[in-house]
Amino acid sequence: MLPEVPEPPLRLSLDRDALTSNWQALDRLSGKARAGAAVKADAYGLGARLVVPLLHQAGCRDFFVAHWTEAAELLDLVPAPSIAVLHGLQSAADAGYAIASGVKPVINSAAQARRWLDAGGGACDLMVDTGINRLGVPMSEIGDEVFARLRVDVLHSHLIAAEEDSPNNARQCRKWREARAAIAHTRASLANSAGIALGSDYHGDLTRPGIALYGGVPRADMAHLIRQVVSPQAMIMQVRDVEAGEGIGYNATFTAPARMRVGTISLGYADGYLRCWSGKGTFRAGGYELPVLGRVSMDMTVVDLSNAPGLGEGDWVTADYALAEAATASGLSQYELLTLLGGRFSR
Ligand SMILES: *Cc1c(COP(=O)(O)O)cnc(C)c1O
């Protein structure tokens, strides 16, 4: 029999206390409303099976995924009715799975509502589109009698620009209130992470933070509440001295100005550490700052160890990955920075 598979030389360090603390801070900021959690896309790349039990333990009782396959992954961790599928019912198979599993669909149209009723569906959520023009029941259709026949647990809408002080916020809030008056429901929900900071008008009964749980700072006024959760880490696989004038990495985009000591770490664009970090990213270990030299390649990146004589092969380094700062530096959004992180990290 084979021995256990060795640990990979890259890992995603998750600060579990910070995750819990972020949920608690957002729950408090939600006032009378309860905070749920958007855990779609594998909890934004962190690993939904790690994140969901921690948030459940903290008190979270409403989890949002996009797909039925994502809901299936969580069924042994939390009660099925605490999970809602945002994409709703694309087919009769979706409706059958919802009924058999007890997971709630978020109904997004009159056609989805009829599909749910035809399947004999019970409690569901309903998404009203108050201006994103993406997914959800258009405001012009909220009077359709089919919605009156649903047993709506949460009546949702989704903000398009809550991270900005935009007139869209108040406009959408007004339409959401209109929808609440038109369609019977048990609870109402509007705010994503940034929306929670817009005040009690936006809270309803339930909020749906995602990015801020995982360390994203969608509005500067939330920075003091949110702690960093995710740090990509990689092992130094090889150390060498490079002579002045030698190039480093593909296409030699960096040329050593003097003799320097460099280290190759096991992290590349296939892991979501994209080429935009070439010559720009930084890592840290033992109090040293380690700039990226030359191009990031698929599985490897080279860092400058000239000022870090204490580091060598087998040591671990941590990427500078505070999301707000990393987004500014890389040109990627905070959401992309998380959801890019690949499957080769141990988590
Ligand atoms: C993803 C999502 C959220 C979470 O948004 P964040 O900006 O990450 O807080 C909330 N509601 C819906 C409908 C979503 O799709």
Side-chain angles (χ1 to χ4, degrees):
M1 210 177 78
L2 287 172
E4 235 183 278
V5 181
E7 284 291 310
L10 73 173
R11 63 191 178 208
L12 207 55
S13 155
L14 298 184
D15 185 335
R16 289 160 168 75
D17 289 342
L19 175 69
T20 298
S21 151
N22 289 345
W23 184 82
Q24 288 165 339
L26 293 161
D27 188 54
R28 271 196 303 277
L29 192 62
S30 298
K32 292 199 187 73
R34 199 75 184 273
V39 297
K40 61 198 180 193
D42 206 20
Y44 291 36
L46 277 70
R49 290 189 58 82
L50 284 173
V51 163
V52 165
L54 292 168
L55 295 181
H56 190 264
Q57 202 171 7
C60 182
R61 293 295 178 269
D62 293 272
F63 298 95
F64 297 93
V65 294
H67 296 185
W68 292 97
T69 49
E70 296 181 313
E73 286 288 308
L74 304 176
L75 282 175
D76 61 328
L77 300 176
V78 289
S82 66
I83 309 168
V85 175
L86 290 163
H87 283 9
L89 306 172
Q90 307 305 324
S91 65
D94 286 354
Y97 189 83
I99 286 171
S101 65
V103 173
K104 282 185 303 179
V106 179
I107 301 295
N108 288 292
S109 66
Q112 288 197 7
R114 278 190 286 277
R115 192 170 284 140
W116 185 233
L117 292 167
D118 288 349
C124 60
D125 287 1
L126 185 69
M127 174 65 74
V128 174
D129 190 323
T130 52
I132 196 165
N133 287 313
R134 189 179 66 172
L135 191 62
V137 177
M139 284 300 289
S140 58
E141 296 179 19
I142 60 174
D144 191 318
E145 57 80 35
V146 74
F147 301 120
R149 291 159 54 206
L150 295 175
R151 191 140 62 77
V152 178
D153 176 10
V154 187
L155 180 73
H156 296 275
S157 192
H158 190 50
L159 296 166
I160 66 175
E163 67 284 356
E164 300 165 12
D165 292 321
S166 146
N168 283 311
N169 295 328
R171 194 177 305 135
Q172 286 193 275
C173 192
R174 203 161 51 239
K175 290 183 178 172
W176 173 61
R177 223 174 295 128
E178 242 175 80
R180 289 165 66 178
I183 300 171
H185 59 280
T186 306
R187 299 181 287 167
S189 177
L190 176 64
N192 61 348
S193 299
I196 296 172
L198 297 179
S200 57
D201 286 356
Y202 293 78
H203 292 162
D205 305 296
L206 175 68
T207 58
R208 304 185 309 268
I211 192 77
L213 294 172
Y214 312 123
V217 180
R219 294 177 60 96
D221 56 11
M222 298 174 86
H224 65 289
L225 294 172
I226 302 303
R227 288 165 54 184
Q228 183 175 347
V229 176
V230 178
S231 301
Q233 300 182 326
M235 191 187 277
I236 301 175
M237 299 187 295
Q238 194 170 60
V239 172
R240 71 183 62 236
D241 291 312
V242 172
E243 300 301 330
E246 287 196 74
I248 289 175
Y250 282 121
N251 309 101
T253 59
F254 176 85
T255 303
R259 185 183 163 86
M260 58 197 297
R261 187 166 171 270
V262 306
T264 303
I265 65 172
S266 174
L267 176 69
Y269 59 75
D271 305 303
Y273 195 72
L274 299 192
R275 288 213 327 183
C276 59
W277 294 112
S278 300
K280 192 188 272 182
T282 46
F283 288 77
R284 267 162 224 280
Y288 303 114
E289 182 179 307
L290 317 169
V292 170
L293 302 175
R295 287 231 160 112
V296 172
S297 39
M298 188 182 292
D299 317 304
M300 290 178 257
T301 296
V302 176
V303 297
D304 186 357
L305 297 180
S306 301
N307 299 317
L311 293 180
E313 293 171 6
D315 286 333
W316 287 78
V317 301
T318 302
D320 277 338
Y321 220 70
L323 292 174
E325 290 81 357
T328 305
S330 66
L332 299 168
S333 75
Q334 298 184 54
Y335 298 83
E336 289 170 308
L337 286 167
L338 287 181
T339 56
L340 278 166
L341 298 170
R344 295 197 295 193
F345 287 97
S346 63
R347 285 166 163 88

